[in-house]
Structures are given as C-alpha cells and as structure tokens.
Amino acid sequence: MSGVVGTDKLLTVEDLRVSFPTRTGEVQAVRGVSFTLGRERLGIVGESGSGKSQTGRAIMGLTPKHAKITAKTLNFAGRDLLAISDRERREIRGKRIAMVLQDPKYSLNPVSTIGRQIIETLKTHERISTAEAKARTLAMLEAVQIRDPERVFSLYPHEVSGGMGQRVMIAMMLICGPELLIADEPTSALDVTVQLEVLGILDKLVAERGMGLIFVSHDLRLVSSFCDRVLVMYAGRVVEELPSADLSKAQHPYTQGLLNCLPTIGTDRHPLPVLDRKKEWAL
Amino acid sequence: MTANVLSVKDMVVTFDDFVALDHVSVDVAEGESFGIVGESGSGKSTLLRAVAGLNAFSAGTLTINGQSYSGRSRSKDFYRTVQMVFQDPYGSLHPRQTVDRLLLEPLAIHGFDNVDQRIMRALDEVGLGSGFRFRYSHQLSGGQRQRVAIARALILEPKVLLLDEPTSALDASIQAEILNLLEQARKDRGLTFVMVSHDLGVISHMCERLAVMKSGKVVETVTADALESRAFAADYTRQLMTASEGFRRV
Ligand SMILES: Nc1ncnc2c1ncn2[C@@H]1O[C@H](COP(=O)(O)OP(=O)(O)OP(=O)(O)O)[C@@H](O)[C@H]1O
Ligand SMILES: Nc1ncnc2c1ncn2[C@@H]1O[C@H](COP(=O)(O)OP(=O)(O)OP(=O)(O)O)[C@@H](O)[C@H]1O
Ligand SMILES: [Mg+2]
Ligand SMILES: [Mg+2]
C-alpha cells in the first residue's frame, strides 16, 4: 500500500448537531457526531434515518436553510466551515470537497444533458477549452465503466438507468480531483461487478492522490472489505467506531444485530432474524 | 401445473435506435417469486416498466392474468392487480405531498373503505410510526422514502407486485423486516413477485427462480437452488457470483 494513506487530519468534526423544525415538533437528525478523517477510507453505516446523509450534507454545506446546525468544530484543511463566507464555501464545494448524493438522478439538472452538466462543472473550476473538457468528460465516463460514453453523454438524466445515474454523479464529482469525497450510497444501484470497478477507482484516488473518502453505505460486506475504519450510527449518534476488519467483533447490539440479519446465498432462514431495538440505544 | 400469471414473449423495447430489450421472454407462475439480476443498464427496470405500461414495447407479447396488453394502455383495473415499487424512491413520490396524501390517493381512486385504519396499518408494517404520517416526503431519509413507496404498493392489496430494488436503500436491519413483511404478504394473499435486485443474497432468499440479464437480453434463467450449488451455465453469472463476495484490493 502507498505511503500517502495516513491519518494526518483533513477533516475534524466535533459535536455536530442538525435539527429541523416540523409541524409535529423538532426533529433532531444529528445529535452530537464527532470524528476525524485523514487521507483514508472511512465507512459510515447505520440505521435508515440515523443521520448519515445529514452529516454528509452538513460538511458539504448543503443543509437546508431552515434547519439548525451547530458544531464545536467543523474544520476542513484548517478552515472553519461554519465561519467562512458563502463565496469561500462555493469555491470549496465541488472543487476541494465533493459529494455524491444519495439520489443522483434527481440531483442532476433534468433539462440539461449529462455531458453538458459535467463539462459545466469542470469549467466552473478550471480554465480549459470546451474540446478539452469534452474529451476529459468522455474519458471519465469510460473510467466509471459506462459502456457507451458517447451515447450517455447526450442523454438526459431521466434516460439513464439507476446505476448509470450513480456512475454519472461519481464521474461529475471526481472530475475536478477533490481532496475530500463524501459518497452517500454511491454504489447501491450497481451490479456487483461494476461496483467493484468503481470502488477500485476510489481506492486508487485514496492510495495514490491522498484523497480522503467518507463512504456511506448500508452494505456491510462492502464496507468491511473496502474501508479502513467504520463508524456505526444509530438515532443521530455514532454508537461505535471500529477498524473495518474487526466489524465481526462489534460490541454494540445494533451492529451485532445488523451482521446477523443479512440474507446470504446458501442459508435458509425464513423469516430473517430482526432486531429487538432497545429504547436505551437512542438515548 | 399452475397457470402463468405473467408471460412476456420476445419483448422488444427501443429508445430511438438503442435497443434496451432485445427479445426478452419471461414466464412467472401464480404465487411464484421471480428474481431478475444483471448488469447495470441491462434493461431490468425497462422490463418492469414495460409490464406496468410505462414504456411501450414495439414487438412481442405481454399477458397478465390471461389478458393481453400492448403499447402503454392499461385499465384502472390493471393497477388493482399489478403494483410497482420503483427503483428510485425520489422520483416516484411527489416531494410536496404528505405521506398521508400519498397513501390516501390510491385508496380513494380505487374506492377503498376504512382508509384511516389502512393507512395506519400500512405505515406500521413498514416500520414507520404514525409520527411520519404528516411529514412531507422531502423531509424523509432515503430509506424512509423507499418504505413509503412499499407501503403505497401494498396498500392496494394487488395480486402481482413488481419490485425494482426494493431494499437497496435500506440498512440490513430494516431490509430484513421488509423482506419478512413481503414474504408474509405473499403467503397470506398468494401474491406473485417479480423482483429486481443486484444483491444475490436477497434474490436467493426471496425467489425460487431468477433471470440473469446482460445488454438487453436474458442470458439464462436458473433456479435459486442452482445458484447455490453453482449449477449455472453462463460466464456472466459466474462473474456476478465471484464479485458478490466483496472488494479485493489488488
Ligand atoms: N427536511 C427535513 N425535515 C424534517 N426531518 C428531516 C428532514 N430531512 C431529514 N429529516 C430526518 O432526519 C433524519 C436523518 O435523515 P438522514 O437523511 O440523514 O438519514 P440517513 O441516515 O441518511 O438514512 P437513510 O439510510 O434512510 O438514507 C431522518 O429521521 C429524517 O426523517
Ligand atoms: N427514456 C429513455 N431514453 C433513452 N434511453 C433509455 C431510456 N430509458 C432507458 N434507457 C436506456 O435503456 C438501458 C436500460 O436501462 P434500465 O433502466 O432498464 O437498466 P437497468 O438494468 O435497470 O439498470 P440499473 O441496474 O442500473 O438500474 C440503459 O442503457 C438506458 O440508458
Ligand atoms: Mg441517507
Ligand atoms: Mg434499474
């Protein structure tokens, strides 16, 4: 493994909280999340609704305007992300920190072709000719295993499949070479063979270019084989942190339960075991 | 031998000059659970969408419950019989509607009674308490939205359920609950499933038979048992099996 991978801090998150006012009271989506990230692969797993996406969005500066967001520290490469101006934010976003959103097809612009959107992203952050931008876009689409880059280049978002949408989004986020990539369920719609190819690309960027990667996924097998460390979230908090290789030795009953309820080829358990969620897990 | 509730023969779907489905045939017996796996972009969603009348097909036949369909026209009755859970929960639920509205609408269209009770039960079944009933769908997490979509399909008590990656946005604990719920509903009501997933574990758990797709074609149809004992023929199926073991750093 290359020597670039390490834990010199790229991102420090301390006591991050995000809450939403709603008709039926305040929803506390993130309730005091803390972690640091170096030039490594950090996995985040956790229950549906536990605050994984909202944690990523807060770092990226995509928290909805009406939400309340606080943190003791939210520091990226020496910058306080909660204190910088909107202009600085925009400069960092996309260029230095990029995020693959969980709903890629619906976060793309529906009335513009995929090729035009990737070119546009590239040109906002770099001064290059359209011809060069197009060449790089096609090369990037090919790198993420899009079979027919020329065709997909000229399609609209609603014309691509679920997994193609995810790869388009990954291509668009990687094209500017970010230092930190937050990938929210980036491969959940990909068949396993393409999934491994795409992970291979991310892996290389971490190992060779020293990118920091936050990899949100519910796929335990993937996280344990791909990431260096894993955070386990439950009800807005990090309930456990583990080296990925030790996932099977998890202590928290939620994590243990997760590992036990996966359907696998060759085991025949009907119904599948389910979790008996305890009130105290959410305290 | 039970009758086929769903029969697709030599179906062709094209978008301009791109062939998305290239003479695809699939037969699903009543009460069966049939899986579809395959390459991203191979036409899995297109197949379900063509059955549901959301994509037109230009050649081949489609028979459901003894009735033939062509093009995109489907009767209101069709949607009592066939419901679909879409791959993309973001696209299938109107963001500016409350969960209550989203569940009420299909019930109202089809003239169901006891709507209040049905909505409460449906939410409960997918593990969303009544606290979510008056949330807007844009105020939900990805997995919560997917569960609303499942509740919405089940609430009409259809006979055939088309499920496009129904649990791909869910953590393993909620996935297990949803899979159990689907199996129970199938047992209780004799439902028929056609289920797309890239997770071979999920498919072999839920389905008796499955089709493997690549580039718009079905490369083979095998039983789940054959998958287990590795008694399949196509190279592509073998690649899928190997890749499903996880990431290997080379
Ligand atoms: N705009 C909003 N208003 C109110 N509550 C919200 C809003 N957006 C998100 N939430 C709530 O915040 C919580 C955390 O949401 P988040 O999207 O971070 O979950 P997640 O861990 O990513 O889940 P999933 O795995 O299902 O995607 C959820 O309970 C969700 O319902
Ligand atoms: N409206 C459309 N216009 C043009 N091409 C389309 C349209 N809808 C689908 N396609 C193309 O058809 C092919 C099959 O798409 P489909 O969504 O069926 O794939 P899939 O097997 O479901 O893939 P995934 O696993 O990634 O969801 C893709 O190449 C896609 O670009
Ligand atoms: Mg999420
Ligand atoms: Mg699909």
Side-chain angles (χ1 to χ4, degrees):
Chain A
M1 204 171 282
S2 153
V4 195
V5 179
T7 43
D8 45 314
K9 286 184 195 58
L10 189 60
L11 180 74
T12 307
V13 179
E14 206 185 341
D15 198 22
L16 174 68
R17 292 167 188 273
V18 181
S19 62
F20 297 91
T22 71
R23 247 166 75 176
T24 44
E26 185 178 73
V27 175
Q28 298 183 321
V30 181
R31 305 185 304 143
V33 163
S34 304
F35 65 91
T36 59
L37 178 81
R39 303 181 183 279
E40 57 177 329
R41 295 152 286 243
L42 175 69
I44 302 184
V45 302
E47 188 163 64
S48 168
S50 62
K52 305 180 296 293
S53 299
Q54 290 302 336
T55 298
R57 283 176 166 269
I59 297 165
M60 184 70 179
L62 292 176
T63 306
K65 278 273 174 294
H66 68 283
K68 207 170 91 194
I69 169 169
T70 62
K72 276 202 196 105
T73 317
L74 193 59
N75 191 299
F76 167 72
R79 301 284 199 77
D80 178 353
L81 291 177
L82 291 181
I84 56 175
S85 68
D86 285 356
R87 220 192 89 235
E88 268 184 288
R89 251 296 181 199
R90 278 196 302 275
E91 276 167 18
I92 289 181
R93 188 187 303 149
K95 175 71 189 158
R96 299 188 64 192
I97 307 181
M99 180 163 176
V100 175
L101 295 165
Q102 191 174 4
D103 53 338
K105 274 171 75 175
Y106 294 86
S107 32
L108 295 168
N109 179 353
V111 297
S112 172
T113 63
I114 279 158
R116 211 180 306 143
Q117 292 184 58
I118 303 182
I119 288 184
E120 216 169 88
T121 312
L122 196 48
K123 289 184 112 182
T124 16
H125 296 292
E126 283 179 43
R127 294 183 57 184
I128 54 171
S129 71
T130 304
E132 193 188 337
K134 178 165 185 188
R136 267 177 63 185
T137 298
L138 287 172
M140 199 48 149
L141 288 174
E142 197 166 358
V144 293
Q145 304 293 310
I146 295 280
R147 273 171 162 261
D148 187 354
E150 293 274 357
R151 182 178 79 92
V152 173
F153 185 91
S154 55
L155 292 181
Y156 289 89
H158 73 274
E159 297 176 327
V160 298
S161 78
M164 287 156 78
Q166 287 190 329
R167 284 174 283 161
V168 164
M169 187 89 185
I170 292 172
M172 193 155 145
M173 292 304 120
L174 289 182
I175 201 149
C176 292
E179 292 156 62
L180 168 62
L181 180 70
I182 304 164
D184 194 356
E185 303 275 9
T187 62
S188 64
L190 297 180
D191 64 89
V192 279
T193 54
V194 172
Q195 193 172 59
L196 295 190
E197 303 274 1
V198 170
L199 289 182
I201 299 174
L202 298 181
D203 199 52
K204 241 184 164 162
L205 290 172
V206 175
E208 289 170 10
R209 278 218 253 125
M211 184 179 80
L213 175 66
I214 298 178
F215 187 80
V216 178
S217 172
H218 63 275
D219 189 330
L220 294 168
R221 220 166 2 209
L222 210 60
V223 167
S224 66
S225 58
F226 178 66
C227 295
D228 304 302
R229 273 189 303 144
V230 198
L231 303 181
V232 183
M233 286 187 69
Y234 189 87
R237 288 191 203 280
V238 175
V239 294
E240 184 158 27
E241 186 188 328
L242 292 155
S244 302
D246 295 347
L247 202 59
S248 55
K249 296 181 206 132
Q251 295 298 309
H252 195 277
Y254 169 71
T255 324
Q256 291 171 345
L258 271 190
L259 293 164
N260 184 35
C261 54
L262 279 178
T264 53
I265 297 172
T267 53
D268 201 16
R269 299 183 297 169
H270 299 266
L272 289 165
V274 294
L275 279 182
D276 179 18
R277 296 182 180 77
K278 297 279 192 288
K279 280 230 161 54
E280 56 272 24
W281 297 359
L283 290 182
Chain B
M1 181 97 193
T2 37
N4 286 331
V5 69
L6 171 72
S7 176
V8 172
K9 285 216 163 43
D10 283 322
M11 184 180 269
V12 176
V13 173
T14 55
F15 299 104
D16 298 321
D17 42 16
F18 177 78
V19 183
L21 287 187
D22 187 358
H23 296 89
V24 165
S25 300
V26 162
D27 285 313
V28 183
E30 185 163 1
E32 189 182 18
S33 177
F34 187 85
I36 302 177
V37 302
E39 193 174 37
S40 170
S42 61
K44 305 180 296 294
S45 299
T46 303
L47 175 59
L48 295 196
R49 290 173 59 87
V51 170
L54 300 164
N55 284 332
F57 54 100
S58 53
T61 61
L62 168 66
T63 317
I64 295 167
N65 243 349
Q67 194 157 343
S68 293
Y69 294 90
S70 62
R72 293 180 46 177
S73 73
R74 302 287 183 274
S75 61
K76 183 171 133 188
D77 233 29
F78 175 88
Y79 292 107
R80 264 304 302 269
T81 314
V82 182
Q83 278 288 311
M84 176 159 174
V85 175
F86 294 90
Q87 180 169 15
D88 216 310
Y90 289 84
S92 63
L93 301 177
H94 194 291
R96 300 276 157 202
Q97 281 188 353
T98 61
V99 171
D100 185 64
R101 264 289 291 286
L102 287 164
L103 296 177
L104 184 62
E105 203 174 67
L107 290 174
I109 291 175
H110 293 280
F112 277 76
D113 58 0
N114 288 334
V115 289
D116 217 51
Q117 221 179 319
R118 286 177 197 273
I119 290 175
M120 298 292 271
R121 194 182 60 209
L123 283 177
D124 200 48
E125 278 179 343
V126 295
L128 294 173
S130 52
F132 286 91
R133 185 165 170 187
F134 296 102
R135 288 258 199 108
Y136 289 91
S137 76
H138 74 265
Q139 298 177 322
L140 303 175
S141 77
Q144 290 164 346
R145 224 172 304 212
Q146 199 163 22
R147 284 182 274 164
V148 172
I150 292 170
R152 190 157 106 133
L154 281 175
I155 207 166
L156 286 180
E157 303 181 355
K159 288 176 89 72
V160 179
L161 207 48
L162 309 174
L163 300 154
D164 198 350
E165 303 273 10
T167 60
S168 68
L170 303 176
D171 70 282
S173 69
I174 309 269
Q175 169 171 278
E177 284 163 26
I178 298 288
L179 295 182
N180 289 345
L181 163 70
L182 289 171
E183 278 208 308
Q184 192 61 45
R186 184 176 150 223
K187 232 182 267 164
D188 294 347
R189 305 195 217 132
L191 277 178
T192 304
F193 289 163
V194 182
M195 182 167 185
V196 173
S197 174
H198 66 275
D199 187 329
L200 293 176
V202 168
I203 290 288
S204 79
H205 178 78
M206 294 293 288
C207 305
E208 287 105 37
R209 290 190 308 137
L210 61 139
V212 182
M213 289 188 68
K214 190 166 198 265
S215 310
K217 293 193 173 82
V218 171
V219 296
E220 70 181 323
T221 303
V222 295
T223 63
D225 291 340
L227 201 64
E228 233 171 81
S229 57
R230 302 195 162 237
F232 40 75
D235 264 353
Y236 182 65
T237 313
R238 190 177 333 277
Q239 284 170 30
L240 279 181
M241 286 292 281
T242 311
S244 71
E245 284 157 15
F247 184 75
R248 274 205 210 104
R249 202 155 271 124
V250 279

